Structure formats: C-alpha cells, structure tokens
Amino acid sequence: MPDGVNLSRRSLFRGRLTSNEPRVQLPWSVAWSDFAADCTRCGDCLTACPEQILVKGDGGFPSVDFLRGECTFCGECVAACKVPIFRPTTEAPWQYIAHIEANCLAHGQVFCQRCQDSCEPRAIRFSPVLGRVPTPSIDAAACTGCGACVMDCPVGSIRVGAPAGEESR
C-alpha cells in the first residue's frame, strides 16, 4: 500500500467508516474501538516482532497471522509502540484459545496429532476411542492462544479466537 494514502477517506468512499475488528488482536492491546481510534498504523510493532507474525490487516491496522508462526508473548510489539494502546504486560496477553474445526483429519478417521506435538502447554489432547482414531480436544484453561498449532495443522482446521460463547474479549 503506498505511503500517504488516507485509509479513512478510502473507507468513506467504500461506505465503510470503521475498520473490521480482526479475529485476533495484538497481545495486551486495549479494546478494539480504542485501539483503532489511537493506532497510527506506523508499523513499529510489525518490525519489532521477532516471530514476524504481525502483518498489516484491514485498514492498515496490525493483526496477527498464525500461519506465519506462533506468538511467544515476548512483549516486543508493546515496547515498540509509542502510543498508549496496550495494557501492562504483567496482565494476561489475551483471552483467545484454539478451536478445532470439523475438517480436522482425526474427525475423518485419519491419524494425525501434529497439533498436540506443537502445543507446548499441552492444551491439546487426543482421547482414544474404541474402533476409531483418537480425537482431539482443547483444555481451555491450559490453552494460551499462542497459535503454534495453527501453523502445524496440515489441513488448516485450527483457528484461534474468543472462547466459545463469547462475542469479544
């Protein structure tokens, strides 16, 4: 996207006055409405991320792309930002957790446990089922929402988002 483009004016012409809230915001970020109002879209957080999982999303706002890797919760994005749009890093980074979709290979009776192998907090477990391949489940209390399992899934059946039943964080 060329520098100097007024994204808010472009959105006005497209009939969209605000940017869509991303499925996953940056760790420790404030509520989306406050974040979107104050973020300068400078890109400092993108370049500071050692995992390179932060990308320019809708409207030029930073968003997390777990297909590039996992969040290690290092706090570099927070430290790089000159605007007060983050909560203290002493708090939990977010309330997101992993969700396993219906197209998981195990649901189709194909043995795969790559997500379990990539899950450092051991939040993904496979339960044996008589006469079937083991099926995955997520321990919501143990899941950090880091996204390591997302990149490792060979069929893209894992997403990270708000816990079931919650509309927003």
Side-chain angles (χ1 to χ4, degrees):
M1 184 146 313
D3 290 333
V5 174
N6 185 332
L7 294 172
S8 61
R9 185 173 290 152
R10 178 183 293 172
S11 292
L12 176 66
F13 288 127
R14 289 183 179 166
R16 211 174 67 212
L17 298 176
T18 60
S19 177
N20 293 327
E21 181 173 353
R23 180 182 297 259
V24 177
Q25 285 184 241
L26 275 58
W28 296 287
S29 60
V30 296
W32 178 249
S33 58
D34 296 331
F35 187 90
D38 294 336
C39 177
T40 63
R41 298 170 267 192
C42 65
D44 288 349
C45 58
L46 277 60
T47 56
C49 179
E51 305 303 325
Q52 296 298 295
I53 64 167
L54 302 183
V55 297
K56 280 195 180 226
D58 188 35
F61 291 101
S63 75
V64 180
D65 182 359
F66 289 122
L67 294 177
R68 299 171 141 240
E70 69 183 284
C71 183
T72 59
F73 306 110
C74 66
E76 293 298 320
C77 56
V78 176
C81 187
K82 297 169 186 67
V83 182
I85 52 176
F86 291 96
R87 297 176 286 109
T89 56
T90 53
E91 296 179 13
W94 54 37
Q95 299 301 312
Y96 301 126
I97 62 169
H99 301 275
I100 299 173
E101 304 290 329
N103 66 331
C104 171
L105 290 174
H107 296 306
Q109 296 307 298
V110 176
F111 185 85
C112 177
Q113 294 186 355
R114 285 180 61 175
C115 57
Q116 176 179 267
D117 296 341
S118 66
C119 184
E120 191 173 314
R122 300 291 175 225
I124 301 175
R125 297 208 174 108
F126 280 77
S127 304
V129 178
L130 189 60
R132 299 180 63 84
V133 299
T135 56
S137 63
I138 305 228
D139 178 354
C143 183
T144 63
C146 71
C149 54
V150 174
M151 186 179 75
D152 258 3
C153 181
V155 294
S157 68
I158 302 177
R159 66 172 179 80
V160 173
E166 289 186 23
E167 293 299 313
S168 61
R169 295 183 292 121

